[in-house]
């Protein structure tokens, strides 16, 4: 690889927990071609700040000259929410494409090389299905279960679809013609399985870009169903500020610290994409702390130079600033507002809240 | 039901081990309509005399005014024989339709109400697949496994397709628009599951016609892979006679007696369809024994009035006579002979024999 290719590869790999089969990407870059990467999300719930993690990675991929496909897995969304009718899920898919585009635009990334694909546009096609049948006759129940262990809820009484999901996700790599798939650490076993399974039916194996897990604001995993663990992408500045103020962030402890994660995985990369990778912490009667790198920030936090009391307002202010264009885009689009009403209709009395069960897709990592 | 409907119902039920939800058929008959029944067979191997059992039942169904669909499950044939290319399986499907038609014609049944359908003609369609996805999200792994327990080889390392098979077979009932499905006793759990599963996705449950298991000539289960346990439908008169002569048939023992099974499930029903339900046993220097009913024959056999020595030549002669038109049809059809060569190409050196693994389909009961 020449220096330009190396720089592209470094940006592709920034902040990732791991790359499986990086040589597949390196050779594409060495030839001066653009890798095509896919990231999938089941359109089951409402994207929150956790989506900044894959979205900013997608922004970096686009900045590194990759072609990126976002799979809006509507069939899976429908299957995950057995009582949600298909048109609800389809409106959610539209909502997802709106908000993901808004995130990317909020950090100034060109989205002309970004493609949204609906799962239902090809996952019911004859070729795909025949490949599903073929693959199902070659992959054992044991291996399917192992591959999906951290992605799909599993027990003897779990629906059979949970065992089929890993096969579908593996086939998606071929049918989306990608060179690599992006997903969270929880997808690792599935990604390893995909590299073994695709060649069994005559297709090439893909590289895999693995995002780290990001902690929720309450210290645990970020979850759509735990309101206090996440910030909605359309939250008001007041709501954002309040949630950050209430977030768990023990002094000196950097592990499972959701507020620090925000800086590392959202605010610093977003600032980088906007042209100046730094994070400022204003202090009363003192010089501001300015970080260009998470290591120094972690160091200061461990030594209580950077305290939760000064960190939180800085994070809240940076998030409010980062998310302002998203909210503005929403408020300026009657179409988007209409989609939102259809995708998330206000609950009628006695109507059950649509549950957000864990989904197979990488987006699930942040839910 | 009036007397005519009752007579139709009795012929539909003759020799069956069981009918599940008979009221579904009774009401159709009471209205004077024609029930539509489906029987499926994976086109994996070479049909043998065991196929007389479902074929004669199909003949009775046609005689009782049913519409009958034979599903030639080519996709399943392909999946069961991972190394068999699809064109081989397609030629086998053609062979199956030839020989099943020949069996029916050999007993003088009109086949204009018989329909052959290739699995691949609809099992890759979008509606079918979406229903497969829907059903897979509603049926647990446990229930799928239970339903397929006696049909599909199962272990933790078995392919996932084995768990999908019961769902496909259940959907076939809807997509073949049938009122009832015919299959062997080994299908019972799957049939019970189908009556529970179809209503879950908004379809009606079907009746199920359950054939008994027929013993092989060596006393065990009739199997395609055990040459001495079965007679091929195109065997010569000499081969038929020799196999019957060598068959296990202990004097006085009627249990697991393949030779007696031939009389009960093939020769007597075939004679009935041809117009005169009787089985003659010629004896040296004595009057022939003439049976119109299996009970009297069993009685005589238990008392050694009917000995294996006189029974066997009578069975061989009756089989040779029954199968003569099938062989004649084969020998008179250059097209069929050509199909046979393509479906069962003579083994090249070092070529592995295509294995006949147990299949999900009722035909498997006799393999």
């Amino acid at each position: 690889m020449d220096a330009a290719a190396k720089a592209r590869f470094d940006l592709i790999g920034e902040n990732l927990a791991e790359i499986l089969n990086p040589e597949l990407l390196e050779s594409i870059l060495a030839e001066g071609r653009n890798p095509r990467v896919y990231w999938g999300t089941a359109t089951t719930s409402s994207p929150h700040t956790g989506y900044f993690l894959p979205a900013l990675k997608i922004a970096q991929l686009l900045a590194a000259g990759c072609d990126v496909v976002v799979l809006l897995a509507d069939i899976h969304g429908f299957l995950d929410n057995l009582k949600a009718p298909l048109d609800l899920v389809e409106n959610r898919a539209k909502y997802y494409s709106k908000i993901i585009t808004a995130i990317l635009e909020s950090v100034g990334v060109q989205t002309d090389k970004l493609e949204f694909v609906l799962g239902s546009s090809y996952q019911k096609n004859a070729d795909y299905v025949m490949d599903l049948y073929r693959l199902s006759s070659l992959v054992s129940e044991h291996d399917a279960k192992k591959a999906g262990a951290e992605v799909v809820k599993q027990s003897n009484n779990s629906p059979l679809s949970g065992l089929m999901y890993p096969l579908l996700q593996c086939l998606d790599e071929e049918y989306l013609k990608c060179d690599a798939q992006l997903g969270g650490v929880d997808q690792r076993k599935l990604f390893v399985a995909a590299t073994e399974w695709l060649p069994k039916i005559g297709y090439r194996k893909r590289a895999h870009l693995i995002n780290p897990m990001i902690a929720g604001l309450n210290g645990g995993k970020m979850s759509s169903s735990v309101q206090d663990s996440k910030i909605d992408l359309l939250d008001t500045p007041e709501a954002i500020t309040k949630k950050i103020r209430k977030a768990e962030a023990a002094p000196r402890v950097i592990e499972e610290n959701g507020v620090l994660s925000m800086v590392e995985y959202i605010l610093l990369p977003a600032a980088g994409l906007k042209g100046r990778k730094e994070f400022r912490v204003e202090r009363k009667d003192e010089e501001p702390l300015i970080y260009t790198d998470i290591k120094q920030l972690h160091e200061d936090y461990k030594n209580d130079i950077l305290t939760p009391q000064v960190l939180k307002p800085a994070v809240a202010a940076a998030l409010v600033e980062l998310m302002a264009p998203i909210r503005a885009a929403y408020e300026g689009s009657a179409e988007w507002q209409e989609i939102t009403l259809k995708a998330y209709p206000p609950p009628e009395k006695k109507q059950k809240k649509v549950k957000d069960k864990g989904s197979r897709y990488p987006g699930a990592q942040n839910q």
Side-chain angles (χ1 to χ4, degrees), chain A residues 76 89 112 165 190 192 305 338 341:
Chain A
H76 294 87
V89 170
D112 54 326
Y165 277 14
L190 200 153
V192 170
I305 294 166
E338 204 173 305
L341 262 179

Side-chain angles (χ1 to χ4, degrees), chain A residues 133-154:
Chain A
Y133 289 150
R134 288 168 66 209
L135 196 55
S136 76
S137 72
L138 292 165
V139 170
S140 72
E141 187 191 326
H142 171 267
D143 289 354
K145 191 172 267 187
K146 190 176 142 197
E150 289 173 48
V151 182
V152 192
K153 213 165 89 179
Q154 286 182 344

Side-chain angles (χ1 to χ4, degrees), chain A residues 121-136 167-168 171-172 174-177 198 201 203:
Chain A
S121 70
Y122 68 89
Q123 287 164 349
K124 297 187 286 184
N125 289 1
D127 288 353
Y128 186 88
V129 174
M130 198 61 202
D131 277 338
L132 174 61
Y133 289 150
R134 288 168 66 209
L135 196 55
S136 76
L167 278 64
L168 290 162
L171 287 177
D172 290 340
E174 173 67 24
Y175 281 80
L176 294 171
K177 297 182 181 59
L198 280 185
I201 52 171
Y203 298 135

Side-chain angles (χ1 to χ4, degrees), chain A residues 27-47:
Chain A
S27 71
I28 292 170
L29 293 168
E31 291 169 28
R33 291 188 290 123
N34 298 338
R36 184 172 163 93
V37 185
Y38 121 66
W39 176 72
T41 181
T43 53
T44 47
S45 74
S46 165

Side-chain angles (χ1 to χ4, degrees), chain A residues 221-241:
Chain A
K221 195 174 157 184
M222 194 174 283
S223 165
S224 283
S225 48
V226 183
Q227 269 303 323
D228 284 350
S229 78
K230 47 121 194 180
I231 292 170
D232 280 322
L233 287 167
L234 298 175
D235 271 350
T236 59
E238 296 70 36
I240 296 168
T241 307

Side-chain angles (χ1 to χ4, degrees), chain A residues 6-208:
Chain A
K6 181 75 175 60
R8 295 176 74 189
F9 184 76
D10 288 347
L11 185 53
I12 290 171
E14 189 180 301
N15 267 347
L16 289 181
E18 189 179 2
I19 302 183
L20 301 179
N21 302 109
E23 69 283 1
L24 299 178
L25 286 174
E26 285 167 334
S27 71
I28 292 170
L29 293 168
E31 291 169 28
R33 291 188 290 123
N34 298 338
R36 184 172 163 93
V37 185
Y38 121 66
W39 176 72
T41 181
T43 53
T44 47
S45 74
S46 165
H48 49 71
T49 42
Y51 278 75
F52 264 115
L53 185 63
L56 289 175
K57 175 43 69 185
I58 288 168
Q60 289 174 328
L61 294 173
L62 290 168
C66 298
D67 298 330
V68 179
V69 188
V70 172
L71 169 62
L72 300 170
D74 56 345
I75 288 184
H76 294 87
F78 165 66
L79 294 178
D80 270 1
N81 288 279
L82 302 179
K83 282 166 195 162
L86 208 48
D87 62 342
L88 189 75
V89 170
E90 276 165 9
N91 279 304
R92 288 193 183 175
K94 286 181 196 159
Y95 180 90
Y96 271 63
S97 71
K98 286 279 177 199
I99 205 144
I100 291 166
T101 304
I103 294 177
L104 298 173
E105 286 171 352
S106 77
V107 289
V109 170
Q110 289 291 322
T111 53
D112 54 326
K113 281 187 171 176
L114 179 69
E115 194 184 323
F116 289 97
V117 176
L118 274 179
S120 59
S121 70
Y122 68 89
Q123 287 164 349
K124 297 187 286 184
N125 289 1
D127 288 353
Y128 186 88
V129 174
M130 198 61 202
D131 277 338
L132 174 61
Y133 289 150
R134 288 168 66 209
L135 196 55
S136 76
S137 72
L138 292 165
V139 170
S140 72
E141 187 191 326
H142 171 267
D143 289 354
K145 191 172 267 187
K146 190 176 142 197
E150 289 173 48
V151 182
V152 192
K153 213 165 89 179
Q154 286 182 344
S155 82
N156 199 15
N157 280 319
S158 299
L160 193 59
S161 53
L163 293 186
M164 287 165 62
Y165 277 14
L167 278 64
L168 290 162
Q169 191 169 345
C170 166
L171 287 177
D172 290 340
E173 295 187 343
E174 173 67 24
Y175 281 80
L176 294 171
K177 297 182 181 59
C178 75
D179 300 303
Q181 188 183 168
L182 166 67
V185 166
D186 55 344
Q187 307 282 320
R188 192 182 191 284
K189 284 181 183 167
L190 200 153
F191 286 172
V192 170
T195 62
E196 288 166 11
W197 294 348
L198 280 185
K200 281 183 199 252
I201 52 171
Y203 298 135
R204 68 194 162 96
K205 69 175 177 188
R206 270 62 185 194
H208 292 91

